[in-house]
């Protein structure tokens, strides 16, 4: 089934403060959209609100994935419906090994009685870890515990590869990565490109977009998408920064919800 | 406030009971002295809890238990625990007395003694007399005094010099009769350079009438000896568990405590390693689950006297429903115990807003040339962690249980006995209501 993801008029707040002030976006399977913007403009809030982070309250708007109302679902239901968020700051969980966690995540999508066999699971996990150049010992380590920033990011991509979601949101997946790690992560993403999978890449650098070519680029400021274009927009932002966008739109302070 | 201790037995009755059991005169006297002390001594002072308010008066009276010759005849409540253990070295106490003892012939041939303490008092009188109540003394409180007066059944384990035993010796302590005194005393002596593992289970039967378990453990690890002591308490809601566990370590001896606090009733436990000899080491692992309206007070202690001694204490507790736990870790390093190291960690995870947990790490250090450290935390299941797991499609219920088991896993997975690890895991699951 071709993936169809729409966001209409999404507003969200944290602790009573409105951060998202009406986001509209439409995505189809096979497309890669990049959301760019300076810090503090609501990009990560968008990612968290879409996934259903308990701290963010959605006050208005509709989000659908293949016609299903996403905002009506609990976090785990959103995930099982095909949504995946590679997080900027993944949690560390003591006592739960990476492999036990991954297997639980895969099995959560399967009917009782048709769980993935241990052998098959290990084979898949090891193959993907190899692609991501991850030390096999990470399978047996506690989930993200003591992982470096880069290792955590690779672990997020590993989860994405094993879970095979329909709509992937990458929240600042490139932050804290050196160029080699960035290339590995990018090739992981590229390997997952397909007609029935959409990607929403949140970043404030053009860097990642050199390796993962976006079809559409959106600029976020003040909790809204203020400008959209093709890949050439990202290149101009990289070359000239965001000031020209602010000037063009008459924006003085691009941030939202920040304390003065 | 002082609370008058109501003595469950008078001197005459106690003396008669001791004589009826053919106990040596010194023991009868010890019991009577202890009873006198019990009348005068106060209850132990528990950190932030008032033991006076607990159900601690129900000692019942001594009742004779019938011995069994085959494990097929043990009560149903402990069948599972002794399954396939016909050939194992095993002691079973039911209520006030021992009903089964067995020592494997191979161990007997090496001079190992493993029997109930009441028998050992007669058959190995000097050995018992030299050690009994020298570490857990009746003078401490009305609880230890009453224990010394009333103790019954029990276990005596002696491992001769240089004997190394790989298979664990086991005991099962069962209370399943109303009004029967239940006060086992465990005495373990590991002679020079010996090594031994002992595992016991405290279980209660169907009775629901309030009863006290007042128990004590004394371990003597002589020079170079290695003792691993594992104990799992799974007593029912009607049982108040008062347990003192102490070990004294000579030079280069090592002690390992593994304690599973899986009771359903109020519990006071105190697990203490006294590192007397230089180079001795102690490691304590306490895993506890509290539920219902349990009041729980767990203390772990290490007292360093010898040079180059090291101690490690870890407690992990999960509190559900209305349970309250006070968890104390006390590392004491005495003057002269140079180059010693004491480390402790207490962590409490609370699963309900009405559960309470308190972790009190205490370092008492009278020597400069030492290292010591502590870490303590009390908290609830982290909502960020639940969100993270759920964002991968895992249901809230499974996410929370992964986090809870994960909290205990670093300690449970370190338990060196596979069978014990499995047993503890299933008890944890039961206590967590899954």
């Amino acid at each position: 089934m071709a993936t169809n993801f729409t966001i209409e008029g999404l507003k969200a707040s944290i602790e009573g403060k409105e951060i998202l002030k009406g986001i509209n976006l439409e995505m189809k399977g096979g497309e890669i959209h990049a959301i760019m913007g300076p810090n503090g403009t609501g990009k990560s809030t968008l990612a968290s609100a879409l996934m259903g982070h308990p701290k963010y309250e959605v006050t208005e708007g509709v989000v659908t994935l293949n016609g299903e109302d996403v905002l009506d679902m609990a976090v785990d239901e959103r995930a099982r419906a095909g949504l995946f968020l590679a997080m900027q700051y993944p949690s560390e969980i003591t006592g739960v090994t990476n492999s036990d966690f991954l297997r639980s995540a895969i099995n959560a999508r399967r009917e009782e009685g048709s769980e993935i066999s241990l052998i098959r699971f290990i084979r898949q996990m090891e193959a993907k870890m190899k692609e991501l150049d991850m030390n096999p010992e990470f399978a047996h380590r506690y989930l993200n515990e003591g992982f470096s920033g880069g290792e955590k990011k690779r672990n997020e991509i590993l989860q994405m590869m094993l879970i095979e979601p329909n709509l992937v949101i990458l929240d600042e997946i490139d932050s804290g990565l050196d160029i080699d790690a960035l290339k590995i992560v990018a090739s992981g993403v590229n390997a997952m490109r397909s007609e029935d999978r959409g990607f929403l890449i949140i970043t404030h650098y053009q860097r990642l977009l050199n390796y993962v070519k976006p079809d559409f680029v959106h600029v976020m400021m003040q909790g809204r998408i203020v400008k959209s274009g093709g890949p050439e927009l990202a290149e101009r932002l990289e070359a000239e920064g965001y000031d020209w966008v602010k000037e063009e739109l008459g924006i003085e302070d691009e941030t939202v919800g920040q304390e003065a | 406030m002082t609370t008058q201790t109501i003595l469950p037995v008078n001197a005459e009755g106690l003396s008669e009971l001791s004589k009826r059991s053919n106990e040596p005169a010194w023991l009868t006297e010890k019991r009577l002295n202890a009873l006198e002390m019990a009348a005068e001594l106060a209850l132990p002072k528990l950190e932030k809890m008032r033991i006076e308010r607990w159900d601690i008066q129900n000692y019942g009276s001594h009742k004779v238990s019938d011995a069994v010759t085959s494990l097929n005849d043990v009560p149903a409540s402990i069948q599972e625990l002794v399954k396939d253990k016909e050939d194992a070295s095993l002691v079973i106490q039911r209520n006030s007395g021992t009903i089964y003892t067995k020592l494997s012939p191979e161990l007997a041939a090496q001079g190992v003694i493993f029997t109930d303490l009441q028998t050992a008092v007669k058959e190995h009188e000097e050995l018992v007399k030299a050690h009994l109540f020298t570490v857990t003394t009746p003078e401490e409180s009305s609880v230890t005094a009453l224990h010394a007066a009333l103790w019954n059944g029990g276990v005596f384990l002696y491992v001769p010099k240089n004997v190394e035993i790989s298979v664990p010796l086991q005991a099962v302590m069962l209370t399943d009769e109303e009004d029967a005194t239940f006060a086992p005393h465990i005495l373990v002596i590991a002679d020079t350079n010996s090594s031994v593992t002992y595992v016991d289970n405290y279980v209660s039967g169907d009775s629901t009438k309030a009863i006290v378990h007042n128990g004590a453990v004394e371990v003597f690890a002589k020079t170079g000896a290695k003792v691993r002591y594992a104990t799992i308490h799974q007593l029912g809601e009607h049982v108040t568990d008062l347990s003192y566990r102490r070990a004294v370590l000579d030079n280069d001896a090592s002690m390992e405590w593994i304690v599973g606090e899986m009771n359903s009733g109020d519990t006071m436990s105190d697990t203490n390693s006294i590192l007397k000899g230089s180079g001795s080491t102690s490691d304590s692992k306490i895993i506890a689950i509290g539920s219902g309206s349990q009041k729980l007070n767990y203390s772990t202690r290490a007292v360093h006297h010898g040079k180059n001694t090291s101690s490690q204490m870890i407690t992990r507790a999960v509190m559900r429903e209305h349970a309250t736990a006070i968890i104390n870790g006390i590392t004491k390093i005495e003057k002269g115990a140079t180059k010693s190291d004491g480390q402790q960690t207490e962590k409490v995870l609370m699963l309900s807003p009405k559960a309470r947990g308190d972790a009190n790490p205490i370092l008492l250090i009278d020597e400069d040339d030492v290292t010591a450290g502590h870490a303590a935390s009390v908290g609830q299941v982290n909502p960020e962690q639940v969100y993270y797991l759920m964002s991968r499609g895992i249901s809230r219920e499974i996410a929370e249980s992964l986090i809870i088991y994960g909290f205990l896993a670093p300690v449970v997975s370190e338990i060196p006995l596979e069978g014990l690890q499995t047993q503890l895991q299933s008890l944890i699951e039961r206590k967590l209501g899954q």
Side-chain angles (χ1 to χ4, degrees):
Chain A
M1 184 175 58
T3 296
N4 204 315
F5 187 61
T6 61
I7 305 172
E8 282 172 55
L10 183 68
K11 293 188 178 180
S13 48
I14 181 166
E15 288 158 5
K17 200 178 290 167
E18 189 168 82
I19 308 285
L20 299 184
K21 298 183 182 271
I23 301 280
N24 296 294
L25 188 67
E26 204 175 329
M27 291 177 60
K28 290 195 172 54
E31 293 177 356
I32 294 188
H33 290 241
I35 292 198
M36 301 184 71
N39 278 325
T41 52
K43 300 190 305 294
S44 285
T45 299
L46 174 62
S48 297
L50 290 173
M51 197 69 240
H53 191 292
K55 268 196 189 160
Y56 297 91
E57 193 197 348
V58 172
T59 50
E60 253 185 80
V62 181
V63 177
T64 59
L65 177 59
N66 299 328
E68 283 187 275
D69 183 352
V70 169
L71 299 177
D72 203 33
M73 300 179 198
V75 177
D76 57 324
E77 293 170 320
R78 296 182 193 196
R80 292 197 297 272
L83 201 59
F84 180 91
L85 168 61
M87 299 199 191
Q88 192 176 359
Y89 303 109
S91 286
E92 300 189 2
I93 303 180
T94 303
V96 179
T97 64
N98 217 7
S99 69
D100 282 350
F101 159 68
L102 285 165
R103 199 145 68 98
S104 300
I106 291 171
N107 284 332
R109 282 169 178 69
R110 293 168 165 243
E111 295 291 318
E112 210 168 313
S114 63
E115 286 90 354
I116 189 168
S117 78
L118 186 58
I119 299 287
R120 205 178 133 81
F121 165 72
I122 290 174
R123 216 184 297 134
Q124 281 186 11
M125 178 180 59
E126 285 179 346
K128 301 294 180 196
M129 286 179 82
K130 206 169 169 192
E131 274 183 52
L132 292 170
D133 197 20
M134 285 174 79
N135 186 334
E137 98 174 36
F138 277 77
H140 311 293
R141 294 259 301 266
Y142 290 150
L143 180 52
N144 292 327
E145 193 183 74
F147 287 29
S148 71
E151 286 160 353
K152 282 181 183 164
K153 295 297 169 72
R154 278 187 223 201
N155 209 33
E156 293 292 288
I157 298 300
L158 174 66
Q159 292 168 40
M160 175 192 79
M161 292 173 108
L162 287 167
I163 289 172
E164 302 181 331
N166 301 112
L167 199 284
V168 178
I169 306 167
L170 304 172
D171 186 9
E172 309 261 352
I173 196 75
D174 47 346
S175 70
L177 291 185
D178 61 35
I179 191 70
D180 292 331
L182 185 74
K183 282 181 184 166
I184 290 165
V185 164
S187 75
V189 171
N190 286 326
M192 292 291 287
R193 288 187 80 154
S194 91
E195 277 308 302
D196 52 11
R197 183 172 296 121
F199 286 88
L200 184 60
I201 299 177
I202 291 173
T203 177
H204 56 259
Y205 299 114
Q206 145 80 15
R207 215 163 65 120
L208 177 64
L209 305 180
N210 291 333
Y211 301 98
V212 183
K213 275 270 163 264
D215 303 301
F216 301 93
V217 175
H218 312 276
V219 179
M220 230 175 125
M221 284 184 184
Q222 294 179 328
R224 290 185 183 89
I225 290 175
V226 293
K227 195 170 184 62
S228 297
E232 75 289 343
L233 178 56
E235 280 156 28
R236 183 161 177 208
L237 290 169
E238 179 71 4
E240 302 176 30
Y242 289 98
D243 286 348
W244 65 273
V245 182
K246 286 163 71 176
E247 220 163 281
E248 193 179 293
L249 298 168
I251 292 171
E252 275 181 22
D253 179 8
E254 73 279 15
T255 64
V256 61
Q258 308 255 333
E259 297 299 337
Chain B
M1 190 183 81
T2 56
T3 313
Q4 186 66 37
T5 305
I6 303 161
L7 296 179
V9 61
N10 62 26
E12 209 175 312
L14 187 63
S15 163
E16 196 184 305
L17 186 62
S18 178
K19 280 177 189 137
R20 214 186 315 139
S21 314
N22 295 317
E23 290 181 352
W26 62 267
L27 184 56
T28 312
E29 200 179 319
K30 244 188 201 314
R31 286 185 186 275
L32 291 171
N33 281 340
L35 188 69
E36 254 177 63
M37 281 183 234
E40 284 156 22
L41 289 168
L43 285 164
K45 259 198 93 56
L46 302 187
E47 194 79 27
K48 296 178 187 166
M49 260 186 196
R50 300 187 55 165
I51 198 172
E52 298 83 341
R53 295 188 179 163
W54 295 14
D55 225 345
I56 50 166
Q57 306 286 6
N58 308 293
Y59 280 89
S61 56
H62 186 275
K63 302 230 169 121
V64 179
S65 301
D66 294 329
V68 297
T69 47
S70 156
L71 289 181
N72 295 325
D73 302 330
V74 303
S77 49
I78 59 168
Q79 286 280 0
E80 190 60 35
L81 281 172
V82 301
K83 213 175 90 190
D84 303 325
K85 290 193 175 150
E86 285 79 13
D87 298 322
S89 299
L90 175 65
V91 170
I92 303 174
Q93 173 165 350
R94 186 179 189 187
N95 304 309
S96 312
T98 306
I99 60 168
Y100 178 92
T101 58
K102 178 163 179 116
L103 173 62
S104 81
E106 300 82 56
L107 294 181
Q110 295 180 74
V112 174
I113 304 166
F114 186 56
T115 183
D116 67 281
L117 186 58
Q118 285 195 286
T119 300
V121 163
K122 289 166 246 175
E123 295 179 0
H124 309 281
E125 189 174 342
E126 289 314 309
L127 211 44
V128 173
K129 194 178 172 184
H131 295 88
L132 186 66
F133 297 122
T134 57
V135 214
T136 313
T137 61
E139 288 86 357
E140 291 170 31
S141 69
S142 61
V143 170
T144 58
L146 269 183
H147 172 78
L150 299 175
W151 72 268
N152 49 34
V155 170
F156 179 71
L157 168 59
Y158 172 77
V159 189
K161 266 181 206 170
N162 303 322
V163 171
E164 296 181 16
I165 307 175
S166 53
V167 185
L169 292 101
Q170 300 172 67
V172 176
M173 304 291 166
L174 169 67
T175 166
D176 68 347
E177 194 181 333
E178 290 181 3
D179 303 325
T181 310
F182 181 55
H185 188 93
I186 319 297
L187 183 59
V188 176
I189 305 167
D191 218 328
T192 309
N193 294 328
S194 66
S195 101
V196 66
T197 297
Y198 165 87
V199 179
D200 64 21
N201 268 276
Y202 286 70
V203 188
S204 59
D206 293 332
S207 158
T208 51
K209 201 163 169 224
I211 186 93
V212 171
H213 162 252
N214 180 344
V217 174
E218 295 180 286
V219 176
F220 298 85
K222 307 287 184 184
T223 303
K226 287 188 172 61
V227 179
R228 178 182 288 157
Y229 192 113
T231 184
I232 295 185
H233 287 226
Q234 39 174 315
L235 297 161
E237 207 178 331
H238 61 291
V239 187
T240 301
D241 184 2
L242 308 173
S243 292
Y244 284 95
R245 295 180 273 265
R246 302 240 170 109
V248 179
L249 285 74
D250 287 347
N251 290 350
D252 303 314
S254 78
M255 181 71 206
E256 183 178 355
W257 297 104
I258 298 162
V259 182
E261 300 279 11
M262 300 290 144
N263 287 337
S264 299
D266 294 347
T267 303
M268 185 284 310
S269 82
D270 193 306
T271 307
N272 187 352
S273 284
I274 300 158
L275 300 138
K276 204 179 71 182
S278 63
S280 55
T281 62
S282 168
D283 179 298
S284 313
K285 294 181 184 74
I286 319 283
I287 296 145
I289 315 280
S291 59
S293 54
Q294 279 185 281
K295 300 262 177 296
L296 306 161
N297 196 295
Y298 308 122
S299 299
T300 343
R301 297 169 206 269
V303 186
H304 296 248
H305 295 276
K307 295 184 202 313
N308 283 305
T309 49
S310 81
S311 68
Q312 172 88 37
M313 312 194 290
I314 296 176
T315 304
R316 292 270 162 113
V318 177
M319 293 296 125
R320 302 172 59 200
E321 297 163 342
H322 298 250
T324 301
I326 306 289
I327 293 162
N328 307 303
I330 301 130
T331 306
K332 188 161 199 312
I333 304 184
E334 304 286 358
K335 183 103 197 125
T338 51
K339 309 264 184 266
S340 289
D341 175 56
Q343 303 293 336
Q344 54 161 302
T345 310
E346 294 86 32
K347 286 189 179 174
V348 191
L349 182 67
M350 288 178 298
L351 303 187
S352 102
K354 289 182 172 150
R356 258 197 64 200
D358 235 334
N360 308 307
I362 300 164
L363 300 177
L364 303 166
I365 297 172
D366 287 328
E367 174 57 55
D368 294 330
D369 185 15
V370 299
T371 50
H374 64 77
S377 72
V378 176
Q380 297 184 333
V381 174
N382 182 336
E384 284 286 338
Q385 294 182 337
V386 176
Y387 164 68
Y388 185 65
L389 294 177
M390 285 177 78
S391 79
R392 301 309 184 235
I394 297 167
S395 69
R396 176 175 293 276
E397 198 187 349
I398 293 176
E400 288 180 346
S401 99
L402 280 171
I403 293 165
I404 296 162
Y405 287 108
F407 172 78
L408 298 169
V411 185
V412 176
S413 66
E414 289 291 303
I415 292 174
L417 305 162
E418 203 185 317
L420 188 69
Q421 209 182 96
T422 317
Q423 193 210 346
L424 200 53
Q425 193 65 36
S426 71
L427 277 173
I428 290 169
E429 282 167 28
R430 205 174 75 192
K431 270 231 82 177
L432 288 174
Q434 285 169 356

